[in-house]
Amino acid sequence: MTKTTAAMPEGCLVGIFGGTFDPIHHGHLRLAQEAVEHLALDQVLWIPAGQPPHREMPAAGPEQRLAMVRCAVADNPAFAVDGAEVFSQEKSYTVLTLERLRQERGAATPLVLLTGADAFAGLPTWHRWRDILELAHVAVVYRPGFSIDPAALPAELATEFQARRCAPGELAQRPGGGIVTFPMTPLAISATQIRQLLAAGRSPRYLLPEAVFAYIRAQQLYLQPRNLGT
Ligand code: ATP
């Protein structure tokens, strides 16, 4: 059993949140929570990646990363976990995830891909990036005080951004194609930092849910100084 997606009635607004979650932390959780509130999402689907295309393999195994995500989101009725990709040997291309979800959820369900502003700026390097913009809406998270400046985006993306930009209230009206921005509370937490703290014998307490930290201790994760990131 690798999948725990709560069934949603047709017409519901579903946020898609992918990542390695190695481990999941409060930065991820606040992003998803604030997306629910700003974009009126009915659900956020957490999708731990199997083989991320642009980075080395995660330090924790797929079962462990899936277990940590499940335990972190279990008490939030708006969050569901999709474990369909975490065990895959194929690269976790976002466009393939969205094609799968389109098949599963139907052509009419609005899907909203959640991305950070830095990830969004790199979108033209993603596999079949223009198809991504058709398959789903894209919601770009920015920090209060920092606008997303089209002049700083690659020209082809700036054109798409300006043409597709819409208000959160419009997301439910069509299945995809729009781009929205929303703010979140800045939390400078990264999984890299947590892995580095653990490998150095220091505590990541309060950077991530206590239950996830307990799991990390029980499994003795991240004690070796490998795959720590830069
Ligand atoms: P790593 O340090 O291993 O690169 P990470 O903490 O960036 O990991 P990922 O699993 O790679 O976590 O991230 C999944 C998504 O969450 C990405 O879109 C990333 O931009 C976003 N994200 C991660 N940490 C934060 C944070 N503190 N605030 C906002 N967004 C975040």
Side-chain angles (χ1 to χ4, degrees):
M1 177 76 177
T2 58
K3 203 158 136 196
T4 329
T5 52
M8 296 296 289
E10 212 167 298
C12 278
L13 199 51
V14 179
I16 314 295
F17 191 25
T20 45
F21 305 123
D22 187 27
I24 186 170
H25 54 69
H26 283 136
H28 299 132
L29 289 158
R30 277 308 301 178
L31 186 156
Q33 177 62 28
E34 296 192 31
V36 166
E37 290 166 13
H38 285 292
L39 308 178
L41 302 179
D42 295 288
Q43 183 185 64
V44 171
L45 207 49
W46 293 73
I47 310 185
Q51 294 241 24
H54 294 120
R55 51 187 291 166
E56 62 185 3
M57 279 303 286
E63 294 93 335
Q64 294 165 324
R65 291 183 295 111
L66 185 59
M68 289 189 282
V69 171
R70 284 207 171 120
C71 115
V73 310
D75 64 353
N76 189 326
F79 292 169
V81 181
D82 180 330
E85 296 176 15
V86 73
F87 295 102
S88 171
Q89 301 300 312
E90 307 296 318
K91 290 210 184 291
S92 298
Y93 289 115
T94 299
V95 69
L96 301 182
T97 302
L98 294 176
E99 283 179 340
R100 173 174 66 82
L101 292 173
R102 266 277 152 253
Q103 288 223 320
E104 289 175 12
R105 306 253 168 172
T109 301
L111 300 175
V112 185
L113 180 70
L114 307 178
T115 63
D118 48 337
F120 179 72
L123 194 67
T125 66
W126 294 18
H127 184 48
R128 294 172 48 204
W129 70 280
R130 287 184 192 277
D131 292 343
I132 293 174
L133 295 175
E134 293 297 332
L135 283 159
H137 300 294
V138 178
V140 189
V141 188
Y142 68 91
R143 295 179 170 191
F146 296 87
S147 63
I148 295 163
D149 180 6
L153 294 174
E156 51 195 346
L157 184 59
T159 306
E160 295 287 355
F161 181 64
Q162 276 160 333
R164 294 172 180 276
R165 195 155 187 198
C166 65
E170 295 173 65
L171 295 176
Q173 294 165 13
R174 51 204 163 99
I179 299 177
V180 290
T181 59
F182 71 99
M184 74 168 278
T185 309
L187 288 171
I189 303 170
S190 71
T192 301
Q193 174 198 14
I194 292 169
R195 295 193 301 273
Q196 287 173 339
L197 286 170
L198 286 158
R202 295 174 58 200
S203 175
R205 198 168 179 198
Y206 308 124
L207 297 175
L208 72 178
E210 187 58 35
V212 175
F213 184 28
Y215 181 89
I216 288 172
R217 284 196 304 267
Q219 297 275 317
Q220 302 192 319
L221 288 175
Y222 309 119
L223 299 179
Q224 303 301 320
R226 73 180 253 300
N227 282 356
L228 296 179
T230 48

